[in-house]
Amino acid sequence: MLHMTGTILRNLFSQRATRLYPIEKREPFAEVRGELLFDVEKCTFCVRCQMACPSQCITVDRKAATWACDAFACVYCGICADTCPDGALSHAPAYRPVAREKSQMFYQGVLKEKPKKAAPAAAPAAAPAGESPKPEKAEA
Amino acid sequence: MIDHIEDITAETLIGKVEALKKEGYRLVTMTATDLDAETVDLLYSFDKDLALMHLRLSAKKNAPAKSISGVYFAAFLVENEIREQFGLTFEGLVLDFGGALLLEDSVRPTPLCRYTVVEAKPEAPVAGA
Amino acid sequence: MQAFEIGLNPATFGWLLVGLLVAPVAGGLIAGVDRILTAKCQSRVGPPLLQPFYDAAKLWGKETKVSNVWIAFCSWMYFTAAATSCVMFFLQSDLLIIFFVQAVGAVFLVIGALSVPSPYSQIGGQRELLQIMAYEPLLILVFVGIFLATGSFNISAVYAMDKPLMLESGVVPMVLLFVVLGYALTIKLRKSPFDISGSHHAHQEIVRGVFTEYSGRYLALVEVAHWYEVVLVLGVVALFWATSWYAIVILLVLTYAAEILVDNITARLSWRAMLGKLWASGLALSFVSLAWLYAF
Amino acid sequence: MPRTVVPFGPQHPVLPEPIHLTLHCEDEIIKEAVPAIGYVHRGLEKLAEIRDHNQMVQVVERVCGICSMIHAAAYCAAVEQILGIKPPPRAEYLRVVWSELHRMHSHLLWLGLYADAFGFESLFMHFWRIRERIMDVMEATAGNRVIISVNVVGGVRRDLTPEQQKWVLSEVDWVEKEVARLKDVMMNDYTVKKRTVGVGILSKEQALELGAAGPMLRGSGVAQDMRMTGYHAYGELGFEPVVETDGDSYARSNVRFREVLAAVDLVRQAMAKLPDSELATAYKGRPKGEAVMRVEQPRGELLYYVKSSGGKYLDRVRIRTPTFANIPPLCAVLPGLELADIPVVVLSMDPCISCTER
Amino acid sequence: MLDSFIKKSRIKSPWLLHFDCGSCNGCDIETLACLTPLYDVERFGIINVGNPKHADILLVTGCVNHRNKHVLKTIYDQMPEPKVVVAIGACGLTGGVFRDAYNVVGGVDKVIPVDVYVPGCPGKPEAIIDGVVEALGKLSEKQNAAAAAVAAE
Amino acid sequence: MLDTLLFILIVLPFLAGLGCYVLRAEGVRSLIVVATGGILAAASVMLYFQTPFTYPVEASVQATLFGVSLDEIIMVADFLLLAVILYFGVRHKNAIIVALAILQGALGAYLEFGLIEHAPKAYPTFVIDTLALVMVLIISIVGSLICVFAIPYMKEHEHHLHLPASKQPRFFLVLVAFLGAMNGLVMANDLAYFYFFFEVTTLCSFLLIGHDETEIATKNAVRALWMNSLGGAALMIGIVWIYSELGTLEIAKVISQQHTSAAMLVALGLLCFAGFTKAAQMPFQSWLLGAMVAPTPVSALLHSSTMVKAGVYLVVRFAPAYADTNLGLAVALCGAFTFLGTAALAVGQSNGKKILAYSTISNLGLIVACAGIGTPTAITAAILIIIFHAVSKGLLFLCVGTIEHGIGSRDIEDMRGVYGKMPVTALITMAGVVTMILPPFGMLLGKWMAIESSAGSLFVIVMLALGSAITVLYWARWAGGLMSVEGGEKFKTESQAALTRAPLMILCFGAVVLSFLAPWIYSDMVVPLIKLSPYAVAAGGLQSGAGSFAVIPLFIVGLIGFGVAINALRKARSSHAFDAPYMAGIQSPAVAGAYTGPMNKPVVVTTGNYYLSAVFGEEKLTPYGNFAAIALLVLMFALGGLF
Ligand code: SF4
Ligand code: SF4
Ligand code: SF4
Ligand code: SF4
Ligand code: SF4
Ligand code: SF4
Ligand code: SF4
Ligand code: SF4
């Protein structure tokens, strides 16, 4: 009946196992698939990521040069990043932070048919990069 | 690409299954695949000493199939599932969930049928509250 | 009971206040320490010391929703009875009566649980009754043992002695009785292996058993009443060596530590096993010790 | 005598997953138990009709978040069979490593839940504390804690560097040491035995007749373990199935307990023999044909049937999970138990409803 | 004074109810892991109560299917106010990888109001802790808003 | 004055009964019963102001009834009575009854004509001390209330049975006469009188149990008759023996000293044995359980104020004679064993009346145990329990009867949620249960005294401790079940015949108020009897060296708590925040009290108590219990005789 006693007493008198998150955070492991990062600069809107994504959460519009992702439906599998021929996609080591509202990743790029240095200044300014609140919200 | 498949018919099914049971085979599972508008492919899988053997049966959707749950009780679960997902009814099912094993009435009936949706739930005794 | 001396005798009045006000605070703190120590035993940090008070206050402020209004009635009856019995203890009243008053609370807790036709609460209520049935005879017999040693059921008689109760009339029977009291204590503290009718933890087959249908402020009352009861039972423990404050503290700490240890090294028993074990070994132990006390 | 009807689940604190049992009891003795499922049914076999065979790897991995990697490996192996390719040897060994890590974390998780089911909180806590080391290993080596997504059709996506291998071995050593410490508690503690010995007995004959799988079958004395068929690299590793004969909850928990240690051993063996090769075999075209693949999950034998006619999407993916096979035996042992035994016995089969219902 | 203590206590004593609403178990074991030594959410006063009548926070995992959506609604309704809901994992947020399956409703917020979303597949224990903390923030905001509304009247 | 009172208390019920029998009109019968009840109650209260008193010796000698000498009437009636019993024995072909009746007749004749020197009586026929007074008050007040309750009850009862001709006249004849016999029994100071009344109660109960004349009723009535005849025979032997030892039939003389001679102890043992049969102590419990087939007022009467109380009265009455002897110890053991054994048997029951029956026997066991212990505190306990038990138990029987009429079942499982249908009755029942088991009410006071006074006796105390725990179990679950109903918001109000409601209310009120008055009951009723004051009455509490019970302060605290609780209940009710019970998240939205179960069908939740039938089942426990009880009886005679 006393078989657990040793373990209990050892626990009692030794260092606790608890990591005091969020006060104490540890370094994430390298190569952890966290939040999806998108570099609109590199993207060629080839749609491969959209085709590969098992969760079907990426929408690429080749003509309008937009790239959108329902980040709240992403399952962090990393397939898109593996697929992307241009290295436009990567994963941060941490997950996307918790949120009170759902939102979408939405990027407006420019078509890079001729990879010239033409109109480089306009592009970043025009791109309303980042997140926009998703139109349909919780039916409260 | 699957070894040991034996084609059988609805008539020989029960006899064959009983024979397998006598030989000491264990029922692994049944698999249904929708072939076309009329037929469902039924694959019965058995195991003995780590080796698999299968029986294959083409069942007509509109005719009730024979249940093997009288021989292998464990078959009742998968047969109920097939009934619900493919609309195939089984004669002699020992424990009948009446098509309410997994799905609510509000869900499209027989969702795993690719070609036809079997709308009528023949003897559906589902009691609405 | 010296209740009639209230107002005449400042000391009595003081003890009344202790029983009424200090005891629940102490009970809540004990619960807090208990949770921290238990967490430590599991290599965790555990909640803040004041956690039980936060819990109770939060519950008090929740929306009140009940399945049957008798829950409201019964939680108050439980509270009143627990507080009364605790106060009576500090007024050095008759042990049996204190215990019977405490039983009023236990019975109303069960009646409240049974008043809702929810299977979990019903099963919890039935199990709670079985627990009462298991520990009640043991406690009565412990009190009889105290009576045999002191000649009275009144707590004042224990304080009137100059030797600690544990050493009175021979150590063996009193130690055995103390063990029997330990059984009852484990049930009353709702600790493993006897946390059968409703444990502090949720992972139980009957959800929260007897507490399932108590919610909001009614659950808060039940919690606070439980603190009173804990103090009461620990008070009985303290009687066994009540000759000095040091001894009382040491005895209480040791006993409670043992309870935490037992809680952490055992699985929960089923109620059949509990009844069997308590009636067989508990009654046997108390019988032996009482027989010993009679003989000498 | 009046019966108490208990709606056990779907929302219930001892049930990690939603399932329902209508229990009719007298004095808490179960007289009749009627199950109801469908609370986790998603219908993901149907997704094969709108996701290609590569995307399906990620879908089947999420059939169940506990033995997820094994699902994916089994599915990939089935598709590989149809394609007629063989993964490179290093990939086969790595699949064994991750499979066994999954088995360890799954069994540790289970041992904890099982302890909680009989009210042994500190034991639960301890098992889960040990398990966190495996989760770290998973996260560091595969990029995610739970759903590790290392499989692709043809092989694996991730490799283990030599430093990682060393670290994994040392973590596994620690786990082995800690688990071994708890052996006495699981096997000899009075209260634990009181709650598990002789509870929910499934005889060898019943187990075979009702088609039990995994520890449920091996706890009843049948030495059947799919790993004996030698898939992945198991054929090249020394492996003995763990078997107990009593058929009660105690026997089943012992099987799992010992399997944790056996898994440690398999990880070590696989690491020692890890061959050098590519990680994935390249292939062309789409699968056409059908295949059946069986592997041993922590919960027992898992069967994948995949059929494809060479189109963009597969025709059929059928998943027969171990819990699906273990439900009839469970139904057979419930009557006559005490209510308090229900969590113990249900857990002793280690149900995975998410798998069962897909 | 009691009022302000109660307010403080609400933040200090979040009892939670976890409901698996058709998840793959990935998110559930991560939620359960939060209780265990490494993460030990009891530090925040959290107890996993398993009974909606005692709960303050509802943690929901899974993609919600047509059978369990009724259960979800029921247990939400049984929780006494004030209460908050945290949806966990891609499934709980949107249905995740299963969104297009026939028996999936797709997201907790289709059935009950959700206060905090915890992304991930599965949500990591740390993220779940963040979610609970965020939910508590929301709870206290709700509380202040309610108090302000009362004061305004 | 006294003559009149005695006449009213003993003879009037017989006459009233005859009136009921002869004047068959329902209205007249009701009037007679209510009037008799009222007069009896009034007379008993008046008697209270006369006591203690002794019927003068001279008057006793010359006492006549309608001009005939009382002694002779009794003598003749005695033999007539035996003849009637003999007749029933023959009619029901029961050899035991026949043999016992003949034996008693023969012994009676031997006593009357062979043994007794018919010198003028030197002692009073009736002595009314406070013990007798307590009994008279119970019989006349509680008993009368039950008779009144029986009026509407029997009407409905016969309505249910569709009888061709009403049997109520005969029923009320026996019922009312029973009260007279009981009054006579408790006041008698002459063993011959005592024996006569004792046998009258036997016969009356036989007639009442068999009243419905169903097969089972007859069978159980016959069983009651033979068991009680056994007691009658034991009593007769005991009387003869005592006379041959002491040369007197005067009870006061017998109990004025402690007896230590083996012969006297065996004779007293026989008396106790007679008491045991009448009080249905184990192993004789079966007759009282069988008596449950009778209409509920009969059960109420037998259990609370008459019949079985005659048994314990006998044991308590003679307690001083065997105090401090081994016989006393053995009696205590027998009583404690019955207390424990029948409490355990009650756990296994779901039939409400059977639970009441076992509980009655159990409490009688406690009284017997106290009598056996025989210390002043123990006797105090015995008397207090007699009083409070009569009131509470009478109340509970009437409650069960009322509920039975309301829901058509006497099973406590069917009584679940009765609060929703019969709120007033359910609350009264609940109050009855509370007064049975919880402080500060009288039953618990008695139990406390019993435990404290038996603390010196190892086996007795262990059995009492166990038994009292078991008692809580079977009462509390019943009370809880009554309330078990969803919502609690709005229930239909309950209407009831005044003659049903009034006795319930009076008894309920009585149970509470009497408990409040416990300290004064003690000083008024108990102290004069035992001529000692083991407890000091101070500040509304009772105190002895061994312990203290602050009745009034506890009452006050209890009232405050009760008030707060009721207030909380009101608030909860008016807030209307009702919520369905927890059912794992699948409450059926459509069907109340159901959930959506397998196959999406609604499953109605039922709940049952735990009866632990594997241990506490009647069939399981009774053989062992009876065996042990018989062994204890043998021990009793052995102890009494040998030492
Ligand atoms: S990580 Fe996976 S789920 Fe997420 S966007 Fe990329 S492919 Fe889609
Ligand atoms: S992210 Fe990569 S894969 Fe996706 S569209 Fe852009 S370039 Fe193509
Ligand atoms: S029993 Fe369950 S809820 Fe309680 S501490 Fe243990 S794990 Fe947490
Ligand atoms: S068998 Fe269970 S653990 Fe394994 S993949 Fe399936 S669901 Fe997951
Ligand atoms: S067995 Fe359980 S944990 Fe494993 S895959 Fe199935 S649902 Fe998931
Ligand atoms: S989000 Fe991912 S891990 Fe969580 S339940 Fe869904 S599939 Fe499983
Ligand atoms: S229910 Fe009552 S009145 Fe009716 S027959 Fe039975 S005992 Fe008589
Ligand atoms: S209710 Fe009973 S008594 Fe009345 S008519 Fe019907 S059967 Fe007869």
Side-chain angles (χ1 to χ4, degrees), chain D residues 261-280:
Chain D
L261 302 175
V264 169
D265 181 50
L266 280 169
V267 170
R268 283 206 197 108
Q269 286 189 43
M271 292 284 209
K273 284 193 174 175
L274 199 63
D276 267 335
S277 77
E278 291 284 287
L279 290 180

Side-chain angles (χ1 to χ4, degrees), chain A residues 17-132:
Chain A
T18 310
R19 191 187 310 132
L20 295 176
Y21 186 88
I23 304 165
E24 195 180 307
K25 292 184 183 157
R26 76 167 162 180
E27 271 301 300
F29 293 105
E31 296 186 63
V32 164
R33 288 189 304 275
E35 183 176 5
L36 194 60
L37 301 177
F38 178 66
D39 186 347
V40 72
E41 291 290 286
K42 290 185 182 160
C43 180
T44 55
F45 306 99
C46 68
V47 194
R48 289 205 201 170
C49 52
Q50 175 182 335
M51 306 286 284
C53 173
S55 177
Q56 300 275 280
C57 57
I58 301 178
T59 321
V60 182
D61 190 326
R62 212 190 282 255
K63 294 208 185 90
T66 58
W67 187 97
C69 173
D70 183 354
F72 285 74
C74 169
V75 297
Y76 301 84
C77 61
I79 299 289
C80 53
D82 283 7
T83 317
C84 180
D86 300 297
L89 285 164
S90 59
H91 286 277
Y95 275 179
R96 167 171 273 271
V98 301
R100 293 191 185 186
E101 300 285 341
K102 282 204 256 186
S103 59
Q104 278 208 311
M105 293 167 78
F106 179 82
Y107 293 89
Q108 172 77 58
V110 283
L111 282 173
K112 295 170 189 165
E113 262 161 298
K114 294 149 257 167
K116 277 184 199 163
K117 286 164 209 158
E131 318 205 336
S132 67

Side-chain angles (χ1 to χ4, degrees), chain B residues 1-2 5 21 26-33 35 41 43 47 50-52 54 56 71-74 76-78 81 85-86 97 101-103 108 111-114, chain D residues 35 37-38 41 45-46 49 81-82 208-212 217 224-226 228-229 288-292 294 301 303 305 307 314-316 318 320 324 327-328 357-358:
Chain B
M1 267 165 282
I2 302 180
I5 294 195
K21 187 171 181 185
R26 193 171 68 95
L27 176 73
V28 176
T29 195
M30 288 165 64
T31 303
T33 311
L35 291 182
D41 174 62
L43 191 69
D47 164 288
L50 298 176
L52 275 178
H54 309 271
R56 169 157 269 160
V71 187
Y72 285 102
F73 171 74
F76 84 90
L77 203 56
V78 65
E81 188 181 297
Q85 296 183 330
F86 294 86
F97 279 80
L101 180 70
L102 294 172
L103 298 177
R108 189 191 111 168
L112 252 71
C113 286
R114 301 178 67 178
Chain D
I37 58 174
H41 179 61
E45 289 177 357
K46 180 85 173 168
E49 294 170 22
Q81 261 185 49
I82 303 179
L208 285 170
E209 153 89 27
L210 297 172
L217 189 59
Q224 167 139 340
D225 188 317
M226 286 307 127
M228 292 154 80
T229 60
K288 184 171 183 346
E290 58 177 352
V292 170
R294 288 198 296 170
E301 163 197 14
L303 178 144
Y305 168 82
K307 184 175 177 216
L314 303 173
D315 287 355
R316 178 88 168 106
R318 151 93 181 135
R320 202 296 316 251
F324 196 87
I327 284 184
E357 302 185 6
R358 293 144 283 140

Side-chain angles (χ1 to χ4, degrees), chain F residues 305-330:
Chain F
S305 46
T306 62
M307 197 62 183
V308 296
K309 286 282 155 66
V312 288
Y313 169 77
L314 170 57
V315 178
V316 174
R317 173 54 87 202
F318 286 91
Y322 57 82
D324 262 344
T325 63
N326 282 318
L327 176 64
L329 177 63

Side-chain angles (χ1 to χ4, degrees), chain B residues 89-109:
Chain B
T89 53
F90 287 89
E91 248 170 32
L93 193 48
V94 291
L95 222 169
D96 195 341
F97 279 80
L101 180 70
L102 294 172
L103 298 177
E104 296 286 279
D105 286 344
S106 55
V107 180
R108 189 191 111 168

Side-chain angles (χ1 to χ4, degrees), chain C residues 1 4 64-70 72-73 76-77 80 84 88 94 96-97 100-101 104 107-108 111 114-120 122-123 126 129-130 133 136-137 140-141 144 147-148 152-154 207 212-213 218 271 279 283 287 290-291 294, chain F residues 416 419 427 430 438-439 444 448 451-452 455-459 461-462 465-466 468-469 472-473 476-477 480 483-488 539 545-549 557 561-562 564-566 568-569 572-573 577-582 605 607 609-610 612:
Chain C
M1 166 153 174
F4 49 89
T64 51
K65 263 180 162 183
V66 284
S67 299
N68 186 326
V69 287
W70 285 95
F73 179 82
W76 274 104
M77 290 304 280
T80 312
T84 310
M88 287 171 74
D94 183 304
L96 272 179
I97 298 297
F100 286 139
V101 170
V104 175
V107 166
F108 273 101
I111 289 182
L114 292 182
S115 77
V116 182
S118 137
Y120 293 102
Q122 295 274 337
I123 293 173
Q126 301 280 350
L129 281 175
L130 290 168
M133 189 165 97
E136 202 180 293
I140 292 182
L141 293 178
V144 170
F147 166 79
L148 291 175
S152 170
F153 282 94
N154 283 333
V207 191
T212 306
E213 294 293 336
Y218 310 122
W271 61 262
W279 276 8
L283 284 180
F287 192 85
L290 289 188
Y294 280 115
Chain F
R416 266 168 204 286
Y419 177 64
L427 287 179
M430 171 100 153
L438 295 182
L444 202 274
W448 165 72
I451 292 179
E452 295 206 343
S457 177
L458 182 55
F459 288 93
I461 189 66
V462 172
L466 259 178
S468 88
V472 172
L473 176 85
R477 70 182 183 197
M483 299 292 145
S484 180
V485 57
E486 225 177 287
S548 52
F549 190 151
V557 174
F562 181 78
V564 174
I566 281 288
L569 181 144
R573 179 175 292 166
F578 294 105
D579 188 15
Y582 173 76
V605 167
T607 43
N609 291 322
Y610 295 3
L612 302 106

